[in-house]
Amino acid sequence: MGKSKRNKGGRGGGGGADDQLDGGSDADSVASMSTALSELQLAQATEHVSSQEFVLDKYIDDLYEKRGSTREKALGALVDAFESFVLLGLVENKYVTLLSQFTNSIKKGSTKEVCLACRAIGLLAVTLGAGSSSHEIMDESHPQLLRILQTWPDAPKMISALDCLAIITFVGATDLAETQLSMKAIWDVIHPKSGSNVGIVRKPKPPLLAAAVSAWAFLLTTVGSSRRNNDTWKEPITFLSSLLEAEDRAVRIAAGEALALCFELKLLDVSSNEEPVVDSDTRDTSGSKNQLFLNMQALKAKISGLVYNLSMEAGGRGADKKNLNDQRDLFQRISDFIKSGECPEESIRISGKNGILRVTSWRESIQLNYLRRFLGRGFLKHAQDNDLLHDIFDIKIDRVENMSTTEKL
């Protein structure tokens, strides 16, 4: 999780400076639940935990209703609550009930209900943090999310399922095999192939493709450079390099960040002077090792050239200048990293004088960007109060300094 300690099996690109406290929200499709949110804020401000619990139980009761619009409203309110507060104390003993109703909504709900339920499951895992509860969330949700990804319904459902699968695996996975299972499911969306029971090869549209590449790279941050076999990574890296030439800018940016991580994890590094590999028939296969070395060197050169070109791309008539500048900036940083090993750095003030979140690698940058986007407007609150994010990014919060006026009384 987070730093190198995360790679031991706990839990599964840069930007500006201190003024970038909030990323874009993923909850565009979520209706505003201002009344429900104000109820929780009132309970929080007066420290009436029983009032908070009453409100939460009311939402849970609504999840049992037959009317889909009632369930959608309850899910929207719960999503708002999970974003606005770190409700660990309230959901520790209710997560099984919540998860059961969330998965029921995925099974039988409308597109909007499914998207809200996927988001609620991811936020529930982030609230609970690493441990047996989040592992159970991952185990219970995995089949339903895989069903969505394998049946290819509409894009909003697919993207919501991808986000949920990435988050619950990142938080709940306890070994590499569990992470690889989710990564394979995501890769099958990125680069689908026809199977014995598939008549055609599906092709993801740009928004879905960009979301899938970002989710895959997010989970790759937990793998670590020690868990690599160059033959295994050659095919995905080659395909990702082809996405640098995609027409859609979001796809190019997502692929660029994923490839920067591959370079950082040294997944393209093959030594030409390694000892020869000998198979069971005692045949020297060092030639294949040397060929792999040459192939990877050629792939590195190709990627470096494409990255440089994207960092210098000229804007044509009608080009979105902001997105173009974001692309140039990202690929300039990737190009510098490939040439000199200079990693991206970013600092975000979370609270007070000492509450600073710093990232100094592509791995941390990708984790930050993904979590910031997923948590949306709730990112700052979770960065302040959620131990999961403190652990991932080594955030040190002065608890006394960060206390609210009510808490100090």
Side-chain angles (χ1 to χ4, degrees):
M1 185 204 73
K3 304 277 183 179
S4 58
K5 58 189 171 185
R6 184 177 183 92
N7 296 328
K8 294 179 181 179
R11 301 176 282 277
D18 294 354
D19 60 340
Q20 292 186 323
L21 294 178
D22 292 309
S25 174
D26 257 12
D28 292 340
S29 63
V30 180
S32 173
M33 298 295 169
S34 57
T35 302
L37 189 55
S38 65
E39 288 176 326
L40 276 165
Q41 287 171 331
L42 178 62
Q44 178 88 352
T46 57
E47 295 193 326
H48 290 166
V49 175
S50 60
S51 297
Q52 283 185 311
E53 192 160 10
F54 173 79
V55 173
L56 185 65
D57 286 342
K58 184 173 69 173
Y59 299 156
I60 294 174
D61 288 342
D62 286 347
L63 294 177
Y64 288 90
E65 292 293 325
K66 291 184 178 181
R67 187 184 297 274
S69 60
T70 302
R71 298 195 304 270
E72 288 175 9
K73 185 175 180 180
L75 284 167
L78 285 166
V79 165
D80 274 341
F82 280 130
E83 287 178 351
S84 302
F85 309 108
V86 180
L87 301 174
L88 178 60
L90 291 179
V91 301
E92 279 182 307
N93 297 323
K94 300 177 185 290
Y95 79 90
V96 173
T97 300
L98 285 165
L99 179 60
S100 175
Q101 294 311 115
F102 294 161
T103 53
N104 281 340
S105 287
I106 290 178
K107 292 176 185 177
K108 63 185 180 184
S110 64
T111 293
K112 180 179 179 181
E113 185 175 350
V114 170
C115 292
L116 283 167
C118 286
R119 182 157 178 75
I121 289 172
L123 288 167
L124 179 62
V126 170
T127 298
L128 291 169
S132 59
S133 299
S134 289
H135 188 265
E136 184 178 348
I137 288 173
M138 184 189 70
D139 277 347
E140 294 297 320
S141 306
H142 210 268
Q144 298 305 320
L145 297 173
L146 289 187
R147 180 179 61 81
I148 292 175
L149 298 182
Q150 290 167 357
T151 56
W152 284 66
D154 52 77
K157 281 186 183 179
M158 292 278 287
I159 292 173
S160 295
L162 286 167
D163 281 345
C164 183
L165 180 61
I167 288 291
I168 63 174
T169 303
F170 183 83
V171 180
T174 56
D175 59 42
L176 181 63
E178 290 175 338
T179 300
Q180 287 177 323
L181 185 63
S182 293
M183 289 181 71
K184 182 183 183 306
I186 296 170
W187 188 259
D188 286 343
V189 175
I190 297 171
H191 191 200
K193 298 177 181 179
S194 61
S196 57
N197 59 344
V198 179
I200 59 173
V201 178
R202 300 179 176 99
K203 185 177 181 180
K205 292 184 178 179
L208 176 58
L209 180 56
V213 171
S214 293
W216 186 85
F218 179 58
L219 291 184
L220 181 61
T221 64
T222 70
V223 171
S225 57
S226 61
R227 305 293 187 102
R228 61 186 176 88
N229 178 312
N230 299 99
D231 278 324
T232 301
W233 297 108
K234 180 184 173 184
E235 181 181 348
I237 291 172
T238 300
F239 186 76
L240 288 172
S241 70
S242 72
L243 296 183
L244 295 180
E245 300 177 279
E247 292 184 9
D248 186 80
R249 180 166 284 122
V251 172
R252 297 198 296 268
I253 287 174
E257 290 183 327
L259 287 166
L261 179 61
C262 290
F263 273 89
E264 184 172 84
L265 295 177
K266 302 186 184 304
L267 301 183
L268 292 92
D269 289 359
V270 181
S271 175
S272 62
N273 58 4
E274 291 182 15
E275 291 184 9
V277 180
V278 180
D279 66 15
S280 57
D281 296 326
T282 69
R283 291 177 296 179
D284 185 354
T285 60
S286 59
S288 61
K289 176 67 70 173
N290 289 333
Q291 187 60 51
L292 177 61
F293 170 78
L294 294 174
N295 290 342
M296 285 299 196
Q297 290 297 102
L299 188 53
K300 278 185 178 181
K302 176 187 175 182
I303 293 171
S304 297
L306 290 170
V307 164
Y308 177 78
N309 291 340
L310 289 169
S311 72
M312 303 295 288
E313 182 179 337
R317 176 179 294 181
D320 184 331
K321 290 185 177 180
K322 181 185 183 303
N323 288 336
L324 177 61
N325 288 335
D326 288 345
Q327 174 189 291
R328 288 172 176 164
D329 177 65
L330 171 68
F331 283 99
Q332 183 60 59
R333 288 184 285 118
I334 296 174
S335 183
D336 292 342
F337 174 69
I338 292 174
K339 292 175 183 176
S340 65
E342 180 183 347
C343 293
E345 295 188 10
E346 181 178 2
S347 296
I348 302 175
R349 186 173 300 282
I350 301 302
S351 68
K353 296 179 180 179
N354 301 318
I356 304 293
L357 186 161
R358 290 188 175 88
V359 296
T360 58
S361 67
W362 286 105
R363 178 173 60 82
E364 293 172 340
S365 180
I366 288 171
Q367 290 177 351
L368 171 62
N369 285 343
Y370 202 91
L371 288 167
R372 184 159 52 182
R373 181 182 63 77
F374 182 79
L375 290 169
R377 63 183 179 79
F379 170 75
L380 181 58
K381 183 64 177 176
H382 280 266
Q384 290 172 342
D385 297 340
N386 192 322
D387 287 341
L388 174 69
L389 270 68
H390 296 174
D391 190 16
I392 294 170
F393 300 112
D394 284 344
I395 304 172
K396 303 296 189 295
I397 296 290
D398 186 329
R399 296 291 187 181
V400 175
E401 184 182 68
N402 198 46
M403 285 171 62
S404 67
T405 303
T406 304
E407 289 171 324
K408 291 178 181 178
L409 295 177

